[in-house]
Amino acid sequence: ARCVKARSENLSHNIRSAPDDADRRSELITSLPYLSSTMPISHSVKLVLFALIAHITLGFSPPQLFTSLSKNTFPDAIVSRNSALFDYSPVQRYEGDLDTDVLYVQSKFPINPFDLVKMAKDVVCNKGIGLKDDGECLADDFVFRAAFVETPKDEFFQALKSFKLEDSFDLKQQYFGWTVDPLQTNRVYFFNRQEATFVKDFMGAKADNKHLILPPQCYHVDFNDDGKVTEFGFYVVDRAQGNTGGLGGAFGFFYGVGRPLPFPEGKPYKMSLRRRLFTALTRLLSKFSKKKKSDDE
């Protein structure tokens, strides 16, 4: 009995705390039968044990479970009751935490969060944001947005094709944290800790096998009701990390190989003259204020 309790509690914890990758959670869910199959107990007890674990940890019965797994989907009722499939909302909600269960159910967007994450992964990992399917996955009004860039579909394609990053770098994508924005349910956010090795000449720079580590970047993919991508973009979330001067995207590759682009946005952050003067003035006034307060006392 103690063995059964320990294994069930461990599996329950793993399912609840699993990352938002639905494939991983499905793997954990399908391991439920294994728990009972390894126990030296009768068949009827195994079934009862399995039913209890499925109901307690996931909130739905074994028939619903098998139906969902066979179709590789989750019914809307299950989705609304198990929002942890899609985000990192804590089991205990604190002040300021969104009630994602309610927000997902109230969403008017026709594609459910589970399917939207799968679609985003397909667009990014398999279709290269349209580069590998001739733009079939992109909407006519598609736009690319980053910190200093905003380009329509045609210019986006032209830029990426001219850079040919995959020809010059051995790219290592490291995606994680895929989640649907509960306040904008047509958008999927995810992170990337991208690395690359410089293996072929790039924009006049000679390949030297330098290992590039880009800073962490947060990406987003927006879809319309027809499942087409309307927007793709990213932003650096920690410019202190990596070895590309805090620059992400193509800017980071240019800087990383010693060919920074010839404008301020294409180089590591440097405080402007106006801000330096403003900061110096603020510090001077603060120091004067403290001195005056000390003299008054």
Side-chain angles (χ1 to χ4, degrees):
R2 287 195 299 270
C3 184
V4 171
K5 180 180 180 182
R7 292 195 184 189
S8 62
E9 288 179 348
N10 181 61
L11 183 57
S12 174
H13 171 75
N14 288 340
I15 293 175
R16 288 182 178 276
S17 61
D20 61 343
D21 187 334
D23 293 337
R24 172 59 178 148
R25 289 184 64 85
S26 295
E27 178 183 337
L28 289 169
I29 293 170
T30 53
S31 67
L32 285 169
Y34 171 77
L35 173 66
S36 62
S37 68
T38 56
M39 298 291 98
I41 51 182
S42 68
H43 180 67
S44 59
V45 175
K46 292 179 184 180
L47 291 177
V48 172
L49 175 64
F50 173 60
L52 285 173
I53 294 174
H55 178 72
I56 293 172
T57 59
L58 298 172
F60 58 97
S61 62
Q64 288 177 296
L65 173 63
F66 292 126
T67 301
S68 301
L69 292 176
S70 65
K71 296 181 179 179
N72 197 28
T73 60
F74 287 88
D76 291 340
I78 297 172
V79 169
S80 64
R81 190 166 181 177
N82 297 278
S83 63
L85 284 167
F86 314 114
D87 64 15
Y88 288 106
S89 298
V91 174
Q92 179 180 353
R93 184 173 293 109
Y94 293 89
E95 182 179 357
D97 285 332
L98 291 175
D99 190 339
T100 54
D101 292 342
V102 173
L103 292 171
Y104 285 142
V105 170
Q106 292 177 342
S107 171
K108 304 300 182 183
F109 191 63
I111 305 174
N112 69 61
F114 180 82
D115 290 335
L116 202 66
V117 168
K118 288 172 59 178
M119 290 168 58
K121 289 184 176 183
D122 181 53
V123 166
V124 173
C125 302
N126 298 331
K127 298 176 180 177
I129 317 295
L131 287 178
K132 297 179 180 180
D133 70 344
D134 294 324
E136 182 64 27
C137 65
L138 306 182
D140 293 336
D141 59 348
F142 169 86
V143 63
F144 169 72
R145 284 194 176 95
F148 309 110
V149 180
E150 182 172 334
T151 59
K153 182 176 180 179
D154 293 340
E155 293 180 14
F156 172 73
F157 271 118
Q158 184 178 355
L160 288 189
K161 289 179 179 179
S162 64
F163 294 155
K164 297 181 179 179
L165 294 176
E166 292 186 351
D167 292 342
S168 299
F169 298 92
D170 182 8
L171 301 175
K172 181 182 180 182
Q173 311 291 3
Q174 301 184 106
Y175 302 122
F176 66 97
W178 302 78
T179 185
V180 173
D181 185 341
L183 297 179
Q184 184 180 338
T185 51
N186 70 320
R187 169 171 290 191
V188 175
Y189 281 111
F190 60 100
F191 294 87
N192 191 8
R193 299 295 299 261
Q194 189 179 40
E195 298 182 18
T197 303
F198 189 20
V199 295
K200 188 177 179 181
D201 295 355
F202 176 70
M203 298 295 176
K206 298 295 182 181
D208 57 3
N209 289 314
K210 180 179 180 180
H211 185 64
L212 303 182
I213 303 175
L214 280 75
Q217 300 169 84
C218 180
Y219 294 74
H220 68 269
V221 184
D222 294 359
F223 293 86
N224 60 23
D225 292 358
D226 298 322
K228 298 287 186 178
V229 178
T230 58
E231 182 173 323
F232 171 72
F234 69 89
Y235 298 87
V236 169
V237 295
D238 187 354
R239 58 185 173 82
Q241 297 195 36
N243 60 4
T244 61
L247 300 171
F251 290 5
F253 287 94
F254 278 96
Y255 180 83
V257 301
R259 291 289 190 276
L261 295 170
F263 42 78
E265 294 84 355
K267 298 175 183 178
Y269 170 75
K270 183 179 180 181
M271 190 180 294
S272 67
L273 176 60
R274 288 185 181 182
R275 186 175 177 191
R276 291 201 299 271
L277 291 173
F278 179 81
T279 302
L281 179 60
T282 301
R283 289 173 179 171
L284 182 62
L285 292 174
S286 177
K287 190 176 296 185
F288 177 77
S289 177
K290 289 179 181 179
K291 184 177 184 304
K292 184 178 179 180
K293 182 177 181 180
S294 177
D295 292 342
D296 291 342
E297 292 176 351

